[in-house]
Amino acid sequence: MGCGLQRIKAVILLCVLTLWLIALPSLSLAQTDNKNTPDKAPVELDGRTLFEVGNFGIFTARERADQINGVLLDLVDTKDVIDLEVIEDKNQVAIRNSATDPLPNGELQSERHILTVTEADVISAMNNSSQAKIWVEKLENAIKRGRSERSPQNLLKAALIAVGLVLGAIIIQVSLQILRPLSLRQLDRVFHHNSLLDGWEELISQFLRLVFITLPLLLWSGVFFVVTNLFPQARGYRSRIFSILSSPIITLGNSSYSALGVLLLLALTLGLWFAVKNLTKVIKSYILSYTIADRGLQEVVAILTQYILTFLGVIVLWQIWGFDISALAIIASVLSVGIGFGLQNITNNFISGLILNLERPIKVGDLIDVGDLVGTVHRIGARSTEVVTLDRVSIVVPNSQLLENRVVNWNHNDPISRLRLSVGVAYGSDLRKVKAALLNAAKKHSDVLRTPRPQVWFQEFGDSSLKFELLVWIKDPRKQFRLKSDLNYLIDSNLRRYGIEIPFPQRDLHLQSPYLEELFRSWLIAQGFNPPQGKLSKKDIVLQSPSAKQVDPEELIGSLEERLSNEEIHQIVAQMRSSDGLNIRDRRYRLNFYRACFIGSEAVDWLVRKQHFTREEALEFGQILMERGIIFHVTDEHSFRDEFLFYSFNKSY
């Protein structure tokens, strides 16, 4: 769902940028008109600007331009004879259509006034008459071109070109859809076999996906622009729409902003956010990972860097754009009211996220217990924290809950913790054997620490049993649940081996009847038992099926090494070293060069994905390979771990 939301954001950003690219000329013109020449308005025909006029008398420049534009459209559509001339009358210079050719009904065409050239219209170093003569030539050429573009031959030609462009765009779109998965798969192969691109996979993949999203948008935007440019009416409508969008609609301080200007500012801000986010990832991957060993501290520095760069970038961008920063006081006051009422929970979670990242009561990778939720912290975000449960289900927890509720952090300061396992044995059991059986069970498990030593405590005399407690220490709290299960299996096996009974609550019932014993003896014989002659004792009545197979509980218990044969281990190793196996290549880390190595966490992921191991079993399998000398740590400093550590296969294997 997060990927889908990011894709939607990217599409919105690209749409806004595409609209801005199409409307850039109009936007620039509108900004120039609004700031530099506020008393001018363009005279246009079919979306093409001919010249500009100013205010005159009670008429504004916009009103004059609209009137002139309407006259020009009438001249183009009515097919009137065109004979433009400059007329000077009473110190005024006007442009009129003086053609007097007869109309189809026999009447003569009257002169038609087009515009009056005023001092506000004249460009510097020219007079009204000279300006009018230049405009006459522009108007005649524009009217002739407009009539030519409206001819049936040109319209048919434009329609054919438009259909060809649309069909070509459809073919390119389909080709891009086919090329996209092929290019992504080829890119994965390049990353797998080229060590020079190590660490750049995610950044290049995101860039490639962005390119495949951008190209169709640019393609269809270009088709729209070219097709509308072929038809004069469509070009005129497009110009009017962009003229409306480029008109000032928002005034903050002494500056006015158009709709396109606001969209562009929002698009640049969103683009800045994406750029800072990717830059933070690069800093985290290529700077923080080499300089800071603690993953939690890396997250803190990365998040703070992203916040600071985003804030500074927005301030600089808005100032360059000309946005009045003092106007933010109004926005801040509105946001304060909104935060006070509707956004208090979001703000609470955001501030809680900052506190979690600064104080660090929990870190990425810690095993925590919040209410009925037990899991490993996967990510600490600005608003929420992602916790992966032992069932491998990702749960998003608001940051405020991690500060307001009681949180058990099994990894805080010291991950070593103690487990308690309660055991009850029957009265009359040999206590020395009970203690030996429990300690032997703890000794057999590899995840139980030898220091501090396991202990057995005699707790109390219960109603039906003697209650003991086995205390063991472990270094990885995430294994505590599996470890309890393994120890219970081992304890049960040892107690049976030592002949120690695990009792259950029972009541003695005494019945006296002369026929009850004979009835019970007959029932035992019918069930296949052979009771002794004479009076039956309590031991004779203990039922045990003669056909029941005695199963050694230790057969149900066994490590991964005991369950896998040597041949199966060799087959898995061969798959790990195959082309479809681990990513084995030369690597660099902190100015050191290591040949033909793989990463421990990636090997664990591969074993979980390909061999269907649990992560604990994958770690155990890796340790088995190290104990047999099949793999080794590149610097012989670590055992096999689910971390960013380098391991290599032994050349002699």
Side-chain angles (χ1 to χ4, degrees):
M1 182 175 180
C3 296
L5 183 59
Q6 291 183 356
R7 180 171 296 181
I8 292 174
K9 291 180 180 179
V11 170
I12 294 175
L13 172 61
L14 293 172
C15 290
V16 174
L17 290 176
T18 303
L19 180 62
W20 169 66
L21 290 173
I22 297 175
L24 184 59
S26 300
L27 178 60
S28 302
L29 180 60
Q31 289 179 341
T32 304
D33 294 339
N34 294 335
K35 296 180 180 180
N36 300 331
T37 57
D39 297 330
K40 294 283 188 177
V43 174
E44 299 178 341
L45 180 60
D46 295 337
R48 295 190 179 97
T49 301
L50 305 179
F51 48 83
E52 294 178 342
V53 296
N55 300 327
F56 179 56
I58 61 175
F59 298 100
T60 63
R62 183 76 267 170
E63 293 174 343
R64 292 185 64 204
D66 292 340
Q67 183 180 6
I68 297 170
N69 293 338
V71 173
L72 294 178
L73 285 177
D74 291 340
L75 291 176
V76 173
D77 294 333
T78 58
K79 310 293 184 181
D80 289 344
V81 179
I82 302 300
D83 186 12
L84 303 183
E85 64 177 359
V86 178
I87 299 177
E88 298 183 14
D89 183 17
K90 297 180 181 180
N91 297 326
Q92 289 186 352
V93 179
I95 299 177
R96 298 178 182 176
N97 183 18
S98 301
T100 57
D101 292 347
L103 297 173
N105 57 8
E107 298 179 359
L108 293 178
Q109 177 179 295
S110 60
E111 295 183 356
R112 185 165 186 178
H113 179 78
I114 297 179
L115 66 93
T116 300
V117 182
T118 65
E119 294 293 337
D121 304 331
V122 178
I123 302 176
S124 59
M126 296 184 66
N127 54 33
N128 295 11
S129 179
S130 301
Q131 183 71 77
K133 292 178 181 179
I134 296 175
W135 284 359
V136 164
E137 183 178 357
K138 290 184 177 181
L139 291 173
E140 288 179 344
N141 293 334
I143 293 172
K144 291 179 181 178
R145 181 170 52 189
R147 290 181 175 180
S148 175
E149 290 178 345
R150 284 169 172 77
S151 64
Q153 296 82 0
N154 285 336
L155 291 177
L156 178 60
K157 181 180 178 181
L160 294 176
I161 295 175
V163 171
L165 289 174
V166 172
L167 292 178
I170 293 175
I171 294 174
I172 296 176
Q173 175 74 35
V174 173
S175 301
L176 290 175
Q177 293 295 330
I178 298 175
L179 184 62
R180 178 177 179 176
L182 296 177
S183 61
L184 291 177
R185 285 197 295 268
Q186 182 63 31
L187 189 65
D188 290 338
R189 297 192 186 97
V190 173
F191 288 146
H192 186 77
H193 298 287
N194 194 343
S195 60
L196 296 178
L197 298 177
D198 185 22
W200 292 86
E201 295 90 342
E202 183 178 359
L203 187 60
I204 297 178
S205 298
Q206 287 185 356
F207 175 77
L208 187 60
R209 291 185 176 92
L210 188 63
V211 168
F212 278 103
I213 295 175
T214 307
L215 289 179
L217 292 174
L218 294 178
L219 173 65
W220 288 106
S221 300
V223 170
F224 169 78
F225 185 83
V226 174
V227 170
T228 54
N229 201 54
L230 294 173
F231 301 94
Q233 294 88 346
R235 189 170 58 246
Y237 291 139
R238 186 190 66 195
S239 178
R240 293 175 193 174
I241 293 174
F242 287 138
S243 177
I244 295 173
L245 293 177
S246 60
S247 299
I249 59 172
I250 299 176
T251 300
L252 294 176
N254 298 324
S255 303
S256 298
Y257 303 93
S258 63
L260 286 177
V262 174
L263 287 176
L264 176 59
L265 181 59
L266 294 177
L268 292 176
T269 304
L270 187 59
L272 174 67
W273 183 79
F274 276 107
V276 171
K277 184 177 180 180
N278 289 317
L279 178 61
T280 305
K281 289 183 179 180
V282 173
I283 294 175
K284 180 181 175 182
S285 300
Y286 299 101
I287 297 179
L288 299 181
S289 61
Y290 292 97
T291 57
I292 302 177
D294 192 344
R295 290 178 57 192
L297 186 57
Q298 293 178 16
E299 292 288 339
V300 173
V301 176
I303 290 176
L304 292 179
T305 302
Q306 182 176 351
Y307 290 163
I308 293 173
L309 291 179
T310 302
F311 176 76
L312 295 178
V314 168
I315 295 298
V316 172
L317 176 62
W318 287 9
Q319 285 184 340
I320 293 176
W321 183 255
F323 190 81
D324 189 2
I325 302 299
S326 61
L328 291 177
I330 302 175
I331 301 177
S333 62
V334 175
L335 288 178
S336 62
V337 176
I339 291 172
F341 288 97
L343 303 179
Q344 54 182 347
N345 290 333
I346 297 177
T347 306
N348 185 19
N349 291 323
F350 181 79
I351 296 176
S352 299
L354 291 178
I355 296 175
L356 290 175
N357 285 307
L358 292 176
E359 294 187 356
R360 303 178 65 205
I362 62 174
K363 303 184 294 295
V364 175
D366 287 353
L367 179 68
I368 63 173
D369 185 350
V370 185
D372 57 350
L373 174 64
V374 179
T376 304
V377 178
H378 181 70
R379 180 187 60 85
I380 302 177
R383 188 193 63 83
S384 60
T385 296
E386 182 180 354
V387 179
V388 180
T389 66
L390 300 178
D391 298 327
R392 300 185 184 180
V393 177
S394 296
I395 298 179
V396 178
V397 181
N399 288 330
S400 58
Q401 293 188 11
L402 299 177
L403 292 180
E404 297 172 357
N405 299 332
R406 185 177 69 92
V407 179
V408 178
N409 188 348
W410 294 86
N411 297 90
H412 190 61
N413 291 333
D414 188 1
I416 296 178
S417 57
R418 187 170 67 177
L419 295 183
R420 299 173 179 264
L421 292 91
S422 298
V423 180
V425 300
Y427 277 90
S429 301
D430 189 338
L431 300 186
R432 292 176 299 176
K433 290 184 178 181
V434 173
K435 183 176 182 180
L438 296 180
L439 291 177
N440 183 264
K443 183 179 179 181
K444 284 184 178 180
H445 205 289
S446 59
D447 288 332
V448 175
L449 298 180
R450 301 296 179 261
T451 304
R453 298 178 61 185
Q455 297 177 346
V456 176
W457 289 359
F458 190 169
Q459 294 292 338
E460 62 180 350
F461 296 91
D463 294 337
S464 303
S465 63
L466 303 175
K467 295 185 178 180
F468 290 82
E469 193 170 52
L470 174 63
L471 287 77
V472 297
W473 297 84
I474 61 174
K475 62 181 178 180
D476 190 353
R478 291 175 295 183
K479 299 180 179 180
Q480 58 178 302
F481 303 100
R482 180 181 178 85
L483 180 60
K484 284 183 178 180
S485 175
D486 293 344
L487 288 177
N488 285 331
Y489 278 116
L490 292 172
I491 290 172
D492 181 74
S493 174
N494 285 350
L495 292 179
R496 291 177 183 274
R497 182 183 298 111
Y498 283 94
I500 300 172
E501 181 183 354
I502 300 177
F504 54 87
Q506 60 184 0
R507 295 291 184 268
D508 291 337
L509 181 63
H510 299 278
L511 297 176
Q512 294 182 356
S513 173
Y515 303 105
L516 182 62
E517 185 173 340
E518 293 299 328
L519 179 63
F520 189 71
R521 183 188 301 274
S522 299
W523 181 84
L524 289 176
I525 295 174
Q527 296 297 322
F529 294 95
N530 186 20
Q533 298 296 324
K535 188 175 181 179
L536 295 176
S537 64
K538 184 184 298 185
K539 294 183 179 180
D540 297 329
I541 301 176
V542 175
L543 301 180
Q544 183 174 5
S545 175
S547 61
K549 181 181 179 181
Q550 299 296 322
V551 180
D552 186 359
E554 292 197 30
E555 295 181 3
L556 303 176
I557 308 171
S559 64
L560 185 65
E561 187 174 14
E562 295 172 346
R563 298 200 305 266
L564 294 176
S565 64
N566 291 333
E567 183 179 356
E568 291 175 333
I569 293 176
H570 294 329
Q571 290 177 356
I572 296 175
V573 172
Q575 294 178 19
M576 295 173 67
R577 305 185 69 174
S578 65
S579 59
D580 192 31
L582 302 181
N583 186 9
I584 303 174
R585 63 172 183 262
D586 299 340
R587 300 175 187 271
R588 293 185 181 274
Y589 183 73
R590 293 183 178 177
L591 303 180
N592 294 320
F593 181 78
Y594 305 100
R595 291 188 176 276
C597 57
F598 61 92
I599 299 174
S601 58
E602 293 181 357
V604 172
D605 293 338
W606 186 90
L607 290 170
V608 171
R609 187 175 64 256
K610 296 292 187 180
Q611 303 299 325
H612 306 290
F613 288 167
T614 64
R615 300 196 76 83
E616 291 77 14
E617 290 174 341
L619 283 172
E620 183 181 356
F621 185 79
Q623 189 61 34
I624 291 172
L625 298 185
M626 292 196 70
E627 292 174 356
R628 296 191 177 189
I630 298 176
I631 64 173
F632 61 92
H633 183 253
V634 291
T635 58
D636 292 329
E637 296 178 357
H638 300 284
S639 60
F640 188 79
R641 297 181 183 178
D642 185 7
E643 298 178 6
F644 188 81
L645 298 174
F646 295 160
Y647 300 89
S648 295
F649 283 94
N650 198 324
K651 295 181 179 179
S652 61
Y653 177 75

